[in-house]
Amino acid sequence: MHASILTKDAYRLWDDFVFAHKYASIHQTSSWAHFQANVPSRDRYWIIAVFDENNKITAGTLLIKHKYAKNCWLYCPRGPLLSYEDSDKSKAQLKVLLAKIKTIAKDEKAVFLRADPPIADRTNQQPPTASSTDAQQPPTASSTDAQQPPTAS
């Protein structure tokens, strides 16, 4: 098992993998990556695929660079996509994937990595599907959520 950063000519293979994955969403597609690269604070992305011994994609993630002041952080939107049904396999895939992400993080001087894969339902310990009504994603903070400091009178 090994991880590789895909080139544009392999994006079709990636998208085929994403569309076939049980827990995939548009947020892992190459089209979403291209869209995100055009947002001013997100100038770069990588699609990292994990390949098995038969050179078939079995896991991976879209990784988006977010600029933050003089630093940056990395984000795996709605991912990574792993073989969640097989705990041992998904742990091995994650280990290989994180090794590749760590290299990118060092090169980019990223201060942290954010990932938000499907959260397991506590009753059956399986990640909910994208169509599930109990699908849970971390809440998104907005600028209106922040407390404003009191003004001097």
Side-chain angles (χ1 to χ4, degrees):
M1 185 179 316
H2 70 282
S4 296
I5 298 171
L6 299 182
T7 58
K8 287 184 181 186
D9 60 323
Y11 286 1
R12 176 63 182 213
L13 290 173
W14 172 254
D15 287 338
D16 289 346
F17 166 75
V18 169
F19 295 134
H21 197 280
K22 184 175 181 178
Y23 304 111
S25 77
I26 189 173
H27 301 105
Q28 282 288 327
T29 64
S30 62
S31 296
W32 186 254
H34 180 73
F35 170 75
Q36 290 293 304
N38 289 301
V39 173
S41 64
R42 301 168 197 159
D43 67 340
R44 192 161 183 203
Y45 67 88
W46 300 264
I47 296 176
I48 308 167
V50 176
F51 294 89
D52 65 10
E53 59 279 350
N54 297 319
N55 218 26
K56 179 184 174 196
I57 298 175
T58 60
T61 194
L62 166 61
L63 186 66
I64 301 171
K65 177 182 174 183
H66 288 249
K67 296 179 197 171
Y68 178 72
K70 293 181 181 179
N71 298 308
C72 74
W73 56 282
L74 302 175
Y75 178 42
C76 302
R78 309 301 183 257
L81 299 178
L82 305 172
S83 299
Y84 291 110
E85 290 78 17
D86 183 335
S87 179
D88 292 336
K89 188 174 183 179
S90 65
K91 285 178 186 177
Q93 291 168 335
L94 185 59
K95 184 177 180 180
V96 171
L97 192 59
L98 286 176
K100 184 61 77 174
I101 291 172
K102 188 175 182 179
T103 301
I104 294 168
K106 282 184 179 182
D107 291 345
E108 297 296 323
K109 298 177 178 58
V111 294
F112 69 90
L113 168 67
R114 176 183 172 197
D116 59 2
I119 297 171
D121 174 48
R122 295 182 192 271
T123 58
N124 65 13
Q125 296 302 306
Q126 291 296 318
T129 62
S131 62
S132 169
T133 56
D134 344 340
Q136 302 171 13
Q137 288 295 331
T140 304
S142 69
S143 59
T144 58
D145 296 334
Q147 291 280 338
Q148 295 297 321
T151 58
S153 301

